[in-house]
Amino acid sequence: MYQRILVPVDGSPTALRGLAEAIRLAQLTGGQIRLLHMVDALSAAMAVGVYAISADVIDQLRADGERLLQEARAQALAAGVVADTVLDDGVRGRLADWVVEQARAWPADVVVLGTHGRRGVGRLLLGSDAEQVLRSAPVPVLLVRDPDGD
């Protein structure tokens, strides 16, 4: 039961809560974790108001993503949980679609991810990768909600 635990991470407090829960679950089941991070070059470009960003920025985003994955992996290893990492450059499309693809390809027994738990207009405007993973994943999904979510 839940031997292969897929955990998307982005460095946010909610993702870190999801990681902590996944580590606890892996400790209980003797499972292993696969950590995922997608480089979000499109959001970075939109944030600075340009349509294309330089290779230097993309390289920095990749380096930041790799650092984030290694920190998450170190946290799992320190808790005695086997963990590996996968970094995606973000050109494939939506995060939710990639997580579902990875859940099938690895294959995962469960996906654990943090969610902001947005409601109303915030959810409508921002969408929800967590909700899309929940709807599309071929395996159970454990959503770890931020208790301070709006």
Side-chain angles (χ1 to χ4, degrees):
M1 167 177 221
Y2 302 145
Q3 293 297 297
R4 297 166 71 86
I5 304 167
L6 194 65
V7 186
V9 293
D10 64 6
S12 69
T14 55
L16 295 175
R17 290 177 62 85
L19 172 61
E21 190 65 28
I23 289 170
R24 282 192 292 275
L25 183 59
Q27 288 174 318
L28 288 171
T29 65
Q32 61 181 313
I33 292 176
R34 173 160 287 179
L35 299 157
L36 304 178
H37 179 76
M38 178 182 272
V39 172
D40 193 358
L42 178 60
S43 291
M46 290 173 64
V48 296
V50 296
Y51 294 102
I53 54 178
S54 73
D56 291 339
V57 172
I58 297 292
D59 289 344
Q60 185 61 52
L61 290 171
R62 283 187 186 115
D64 291 346
E66 191 58 48
R67 178 190 45 76
L68 182 109
L69 285 170
Q70 292 311 315
E71 288 172 1
R73 183 173 183 267
Q75 189 176 342
L77 293 175
V81 174
V82 174
D84 67 357
T85 64
V86 178
L87 180 71
D88 185 84
D89 60 13
V91 298
R92 297 178 191 211
R94 287 187 54 168
L95 172 67
D97 296 336
W98 182 59
V99 171
V100 169
E101 175 187 311
Q102 288 295 307
R104 285 188 177 102
W106 186 33
D109 295 320
V110 65
V111 177
V112 177
L113 67 154
T115 180
H116 293 281
R118 289 188 182 95
R119 296 186 196 113
V121 175
R123 181 171 152 245
L124 181 65
L125 293 176
L126 297 174
S128 173
D129 281 314
E131 182 178 359
Q132 189 61 39
V133 170
L134 182 64
R135 291 178 185 272
S136 304
V139 297
V141 176
L142 173 60
L143 296 179
V144 180
R145 186 164 178 226
D146 180 1
D148 300 324
D150 47 355

